Amino acid sequence: MNRSDEERLTDIVMGDAVLQLLQKAGPITNSALLDKLRFMASMESNSTRQKALQRAMAEVMNNMQSSNTEGVTLKDTNNVTHIFRNRDNTGKDTQH
């Protein structure tokens, strides 16, 4: 399996977890998603999917850590990460 197949499977298992959370009509939070991924991992017997679940959990945990910082990180459709920061933390005097 090459890296792109691993990334696709990670996206699939994360999508499955989100869909399961949506069915319960509860809030979709990082914590809820992480709990769902942990539960799915505890029930998974396929080693390839187990690894994908571990990568998905790591991605959510990284997102939780980065959300505590003073900025926003977004990935575009080409999987390029863009980081937006308010350097003076006021939002004033921003030049465009």
Side-chain angles (χ1 to χ4, degrees), residues 10 14 34 37-38 51-65:
T10 300
M14 191 167 319
L34 189 56
L37 289 166
R38 284 183 179 140
K51 289 176 187 175
L53 287 160
Q54 295 296 325
R55 285 189 303 274
M57 285 186 279
E59 196 170 314
V60 172
M61 286 187 279
N62 286 339
N63 186 47
M64 290 171 77
Q65 290 172 352

Side-chain angles (χ1 to χ4, degrees), residues 22-79:
L22 285 171
Q23 289 176 345
K24 294 188 180 220
I28 307 285
T29 63
N30 285 326
S31 297
L33 182 55
L34 189 56
D35 289 343
K36 177 54 76 174
L37 289 166
R38 284 183 179 140
F39 175 75
M40 290 170 65
S42 72
M43 304 300 286
E44 186 59 59
S45 59
N46 181 299
S47 64
T48 304
R49 287 183 62 87
Q50 185 70 246
K51 289 176 187 175
L53 287 160
Q54 295 296 325
R55 285 189 303 274
M57 285 186 279
E59 196 170 314
V60 172
M61 286 187 279
N62 286 339
N63 186 47
M64 290 171 77
Q65 290 172 352
S66 68
S67 67
N68 294 333
T69 62
E70 301 269 339
V72 176
T73 304
L74 300 172
K75 286 190 178 185
D76 66 15
T77 55
N78 295 321
N79 206 27

Side-chain angles (χ1 to χ4, degrees), residues 3 29 82:
R3 180 141 171 78
T29 63
H82 300 273

